[in-house]
Amino acid sequence: MAAAEPESAPLTLESLPTDPLLLILSFLDYRDLINCCYVSRRLSQLSSHDPLWRRHCKKYWLISEEEKTQKNQCWKSLFIDTYSDVGRYIDHYAAIKKAWDDLKRYLEPRCPRMVLSLKEGAREEDLDAVEAQIGCKLPDDYRCSYRIHNGQKLVVPGLLGSMALSNHYRSEDLLDVDTAAGGFQQRQGLKYCLPLTFCIHTGLSQYIAVEAAEGRNKNEVFYQCPDQMARNPAAIDMFIIGATFTDWFTSYVSSVVSGGFPIIRDQIFRYVHDPECVATTGDITVSVSTSFLPELSSVHPPHYFFTYRIRIEMSKDALPEKACQLDSRYWRITNAKGDVEEVQGPGVVGEFPIISPGRVYEYTSCTTFSTTSGYMEGYYTFHFLYFKDKIFNVAIPRFHMACPTFRVSIARLGYLQAGLAVTPSLQAIK
C-alpha cells in the first residue's frame, strides 16, 4: 500500500511572497490601498511600502522628485499631508494645478509682470467665509483653483486676455475671491452669479452661475448680454463659454500655452487662428485670426461684432526687386443667410504698407453680422516698387466667424410666450 502524501500547508496572506503582493498592490487606487490597512497586519505593512505611494503623489498632487527631496519626506507622508490640506479637491487638483503650472511657465519669459500680479492661494477659512457671505456653496473646482492662486492684483494687462481696436480696449483681470464676492449678484437676470473676471475699461465680466436659476445651469460660465430691446432690465441673454470652471479655465490655458493666442506687448490677445486659414500668392503669404467681442454684441437685436487680425509677410528668400506696396483691398462678405456684400477701397486701415523680403505687416479691423456667423474673403492689389506700372492681386483666405453658443433670457421667453415679442429662436443657438 502506497504511503499517503503529506498534506500541503494552506495558502494564506502570511505565506504569500512579498514581491507578488506588492505588484498587485501597485495597481490599486489610493482608496483601496488605504482599505488594505484594515484587512490584516501583513497587508497593512505592505500597503505602507513607500514606493507604492509615489504614483499617487504624482497622479493626484503632481509632486515631483525634486519637491520630495526638498521636503525630505517619504512618499506616503507627502500624500497624507497634502490630502489633509486639499483632499476635498482630489478629483480636480491635478487638472487645475497643471493648468496653473503650465500657464506660469509659459508666461514667465513672455509676460513677467502678469505672473508677478498673481496672488498667493486663499485659505480654506477664507473660502468658507465667502460662502457664508453670499449664502451659496462655491464649486469645488473653483475653490481648488483659488487655493493655488487667489486671483490677481487689479492691474493691466489682465491674465484672462486683452483686445484692442482703434477706439476700444479690453483687458480682463482674474478677480480674487473677496472682490468677486462683492460683485455677487442677487438681482433678477443675474441671480446667483459670481464674477470671475473684470475689465476696468469696459466694466465687462465673465460670470459663473453658482446655482441653477433663470434658465442657467449650475457652474456654467458666461458673458452677460443685456437685451437692448426689452423694457425689463432682468432680460439678460448669455454667451456660454464654459460648462464648468475647470472646462473654462483649462481650455483658456490650453489656448495660451499652445501659442493659439498671440502675445503682443506683454499681453495675451484672444485671437483665434485656424492653421488652414493661410493663402500664399507668389512670395507673399496672408494669414488671418479672428475674435468675437461680446461686449460690443447683442442677441436682441441680433448684432454680432467680430475683429480680425491680418498678417501679410513676404518670404525672406524673395528677390529685392519683388518689393511692393499695397494699393487697395477687395472684400466679399457673406452672412449665414447667404447674403453677400462687396467692399472695395484704398489701402488698409488708412495705410498703404510696403512689403519687402522678410518684412511683416500686421493690422486689425472689424466687422459685424446680423446673423450668428459669416465669413469673409477677398484680395489685395499691389504694385511693384521697381516696376510701378505692374500690378498684381494677392489672395486673402476665406475666414469664418461664429459667436459662442448663447441662450436667450427667460424674461424674454416670457414675452414670447405672451405674444409680446418675436425672435428667431427660443433655444440655445450656435
Side-chain angles (χ1 to χ4, degrees):
M1 186 173 178
E5 294 184 6
E7 292 184 7
S8 58
L11 193 63
T12 65
L13 278 174
E14 302 300 325
S15 63
L16 283 173
T18 296
D19 287 346
L21 283 174
L22 287 175
L23 179 62
I24 293 170
L25 292 175
S26 71
F27 292 100
L28 300 183
D29 191 43
Y30 78 95
R31 297 176 181 86
D32 300 317
L33 206 54
I34 291 172
N35 288 335
C36 286
C37 296
Y38 302 102
V39 174
S40 70
R41 180 177 298 178
R42 178 92 192 282
L43 278 184
S44 178
Q45 292 172 339
L46 291 176
S47 63
S48 295
H49 186 59
D50 200 50
L52 293 175
W53 293 91
R54 178 178 180 271
R55 178 170 67 91
H56 303 300
C57 283
K58 289 178 175 290
K59 175 181 177 181
Y60 291 105
W61 311 129
L62 305 185
I63 298 174
S64 66
E65 301 280 351
E66 182 181 0
E67 289 176 291
K68 176 183 180 296
T69 301
Q70 290 173 349
K71 293 185 177 181
N72 194 28
Q73 289 180 268
C74 67
W75 288 113
K76 184 178 181 181
S77 66
L78 277 174
F79 185 92
I80 292 172
D81 286 352
T82 310
Y83 188 91
S84 66
D85 182 30
V86 290
R88 67 177 288 178
Y89 312 119
I90 195 164
D91 293 330
H92 307 288
Y93 188 87
I96 298 291
K97 181 68 161 58
K98 182 180 185 304
W100 272 116
D101 289 348
D102 289 347
L103 185 61
K104 290 187 292 184
R105 191 180 305 113
Y106 184 82
L107 293 180
E108 276 171 353
R110 297 170 175 87
C111 308
R113 287 188 305 147
M114 197 179 294
V115 176
L116 289 174
S117 75
L118 297 176
K119 294 185 175 183
E120 295 294 324
R123 302 172 301 170
E124 281 295 298
E125 49 265 40
D126 297 330
L127 297 168
D128 291 341
V130 166
E131 288 186 340
Q133 176 185 339
I134 67 176
C136 294
K137 291 291 185 183
L138 298 170
D140 266 356
D141 53 353
Y142 174 96
R143 288 183 60 121
C144 178
S145 181
Y146 277 73
R147 286 299 313 276
I148 298 169
H149 281 294
N150 185 15
Q152 67 174 138
K153 301 168 188 173
L154 291 179
V155 296
V156 174
L159 185 71
L160 268 296
S162 301
M163 185 55 60
L165 296 172
S166 59
N167 58 352
H168 179 80
Y169 179 71
R170 178 184 92 220
S171 187
E172 292 183 71
D173 291 296
L174 181 66
L175 294 176
D176 65 63
V177 69
D178 289 326
T179 305
F184 181 70
Q185 299 293 313
Q186 297 274 22
R187 67 184 178 91
Q188 293 295 316
L190 283 175
K191 200 171 180 68
Y192 304 128
C193 292
L194 186 76
L196 294 174
T197 70
F198 181 70
C199 170
I200 60 174
H201 301 278
T202 63
L204 182 73
S205 287
Q206 297 179 61
Y207 286 90
I208 185 168
V210 296
E211 296 287 349
E214 300 179 324
R216 286 179 291 272
N217 298 323
K218 187 175 182 178
N219 299 338
E220 210 162 36
V221 182
F222 64 96
Y223 280 107
Q224 63 161 321
C225 177
D227 185 336
Q228 297 176 8
M229 299 178 70
R231 295 179 181 177
N232 185 348
I236 294 177
D237 303 321
M238 54 189 286
F239 291 111
I240 304 166
I241 49 179
T244 63
F245 179 89
T246 300
D247 171 50
W248 171 77
F249 184 64
T250 58
S251 61
Y252 173 74
V253 170
S254 177
S255 294
V256 174
V257 304
S258 67
F261 292 154
I263 304 292
I264 306 171
R265 297 185 298 278
D266 298 328
Q267 299 182 72
I268 303 167
F269 276 79
R270 298 183 65 164
Y271 284 102
V272 178
H273 174 64
D274 180 351
E276 295 184 0
C277 192
V278 177
T280 299
T281 305
D283 297 303
I284 299 177
T285 298
V286 177
S287 59
V288 187
S289 53
T290 64
S291 183
F292 174 70
L293 272 62
E295 69 271 29
L296 299 179
S297 301
S298 67
V299 175
H300 194 231
H303 178 84
Y304 306 100
F305 193 103
F306 298 88
T307 178
Y308 52 88
R309 182 168 178 258
I310 294 188
R311 176 185 174 95
I312 307 171
E313 180 177 11
M314 180 174 281
S315 170
K316 63 181 180 180
D317 298 324
L319 297 173
E321 55 264 31
K322 293 295 184 72
C324 54
Q325 185 171 21
L326 191 151
D327 293 324
S328 63
R329 69 195 185 280
Y330 165 79
W331 289 113
R332 182 180 173 87
I333 306 167
T334 308
N335 68 17
K337 295 178 180 178
D339 299 329
V340 176
E341 178 186 4
E342 295 182 282
V343 177
Q344 194 159 11
V348 288
V349 293
E351 297 183 355
F352 299 85
I354 292 174
I355 306 294
S356 55
R359 186 183 172 190
V360 174
Y361 175 79
E362 295 178 303
Y363 74 95
T364 60
S365 190
C366 56
T367 191
T368 61
F369 290 98
S370 60
T371 57
T372 57
S373 63
Y375 63 87
M376 295 174 61
E377 57 195 328
Y379 60 81
Y380 299 117
T381 299
F382 283 83
H383 72 264
F384 288 111
L385 295 182
Y386 296 97
F387 312 98
K388 293 189 177 181
D389 58 334
K390 289 188 176 182
I391 63 172
F392 62 99
N393 294 333
V394 171
I396 305 170
R398 177 181 293 187
F399 55 97
H400 293 263
M401 292 159 281
C403 78
T405 297
F406 66 76
R407 190 177 299 122
V408 301
S409 71
I410 61 169
R412 176 140 58 92
L413 286 178
Y415 304 156
L416 291 163
Q417 291 163 358
L420 300 178
V422 178
T423 190
S425 175
L426 307 187
Q427 305 299 323
I429 303 172
K430 284 191 176 180

